[in-house]
Amino acid sequence: MPYVIRPMREADLPGRAAVHCRAWEETYRGQIPDVVLDGMTPEAIEAAVRALPMETLVVEGAEGIVGFACFCPEARAFTGRRNTSEIAALYLLRSVQGLGLGRRLMEAVLAVLPHREVILHVLEGNTRAIQFYEHMGFSPTGRTVRQETAGGAMVELEMLLHRQICSRQRSF
């Protein structure tokens, strides 16, 4: 079965939560405080997603859900931006990275976002993700978001994409 990108359904929530936890472990262990990762469980992620739902596309293959992207047609208030869309999360399991799925997932999200400007935040020091976003046309703005945790601070870099909007946008 080839990989399919589609809107998340209720039945996908456990798979999405498992990918979230595993992708964070694969990507962030050693970059963010261990207490943050150690407290992350699929059950906690499911509860958070139910409490704060967001539009989400999933990547599905024969092995199940292997990635997802969450997005907001209108950027969240903390960004301080108006007339801007936001990509709030984009994760793929390490086992499927390098197959072009990240690009396909990003393009699928961008195809449904209404604004010319799209913002995202990426963990400072996550060089691989920063390079991917730059390859996709995003540029650092120089702004950061700092989050204090029990184990120390996490700093995210703000990145912005300025794009042309086609007269026809794809829908899923």
Side-chain angles (χ1 to χ4, degrees):
M1 169 182 173
Y3 292 100
V4 174
I5 297 172
R6 60 171 177 77
M8 186 177 83
R9 299 184 291 250
E10 178 71 22
D12 298 324
L13 194 50
R16 182 243 186 257
V19 167
H20 191 128
C21 290
R22 188 165 150 205
W24 271 55
E25 181 68 36
E26 291 175 346
T27 304
Y28 299 131
R29 184 65 72 182
Q31 291 187 44
I32 65 174
D34 285 345
V35 68
V36 173
L37 293 172
D38 294 343
M40 186 177 276
T41 66
E43 296 78 19
I45 296 299
E46 277 192 58
V49 170
R50 287 183 198 284
L52 296 168
M54 212 176 270
E55 292 191 54
T56 303
L57 296 179
V58 296
V59 181
E60 182 180 34
E63 64 271 60
I65 304 297
V66 297
F68 69 92
C70 301
F71 55 96
C72 308
E74 299 294 329
R76 292 175 287 177
F78 83 88
T79 68
R81 293 192 178 264
R82 298 178 65 185
N83 300 316
T84 302
S85 296
E86 180 185 1
I87 297 173
L90 193 151
Y91 294 107
L92 289 173
L93 296 179
R94 186 163 287 152
S95 61
V96 297
Q97 291 177 7
L99 302 177
L101 295 173
R103 178 190 49 77
R104 285 180 50 203
L105 184 57
M106 176 68 79
E107 288 171 350
V109 170
L110 292 174
V112 298
L113 292 177
H115 294 295
R116 290 185 116 118
E117 290 189 338
V118 180
I119 193 171
L120 60 79
H121 294 87
V122 59
L123 187 67
E124 185 177 58
N126 188 352
T127 307
R128 188 171 184 183
I130 292 167
Q131 290 173 343
F132 169 73
Y133 295 133
E134 287 175 335
H135 178 76
M136 295 302 299
F138 287 82
S139 300
T141 65
R143 294 180 64 195
T144 60
V145 175
R146 183 181 178 91
Q147 181 181 357
E148 296 297 331
T149 71
M154 294 186 341
V155 178
E156 293 182 302
L157 309 176
E158 181 183 86
M159 297 185 80
L160 188 65
L161 172 69
H162 298 278
R163 64 194 177 119
Q164 297 294 328
I165 300 289
C166 298
S167 58
R168 267 185 325 152
Q169 287 191 332
R170 240 179 16 206
S171 154
F172 290 89

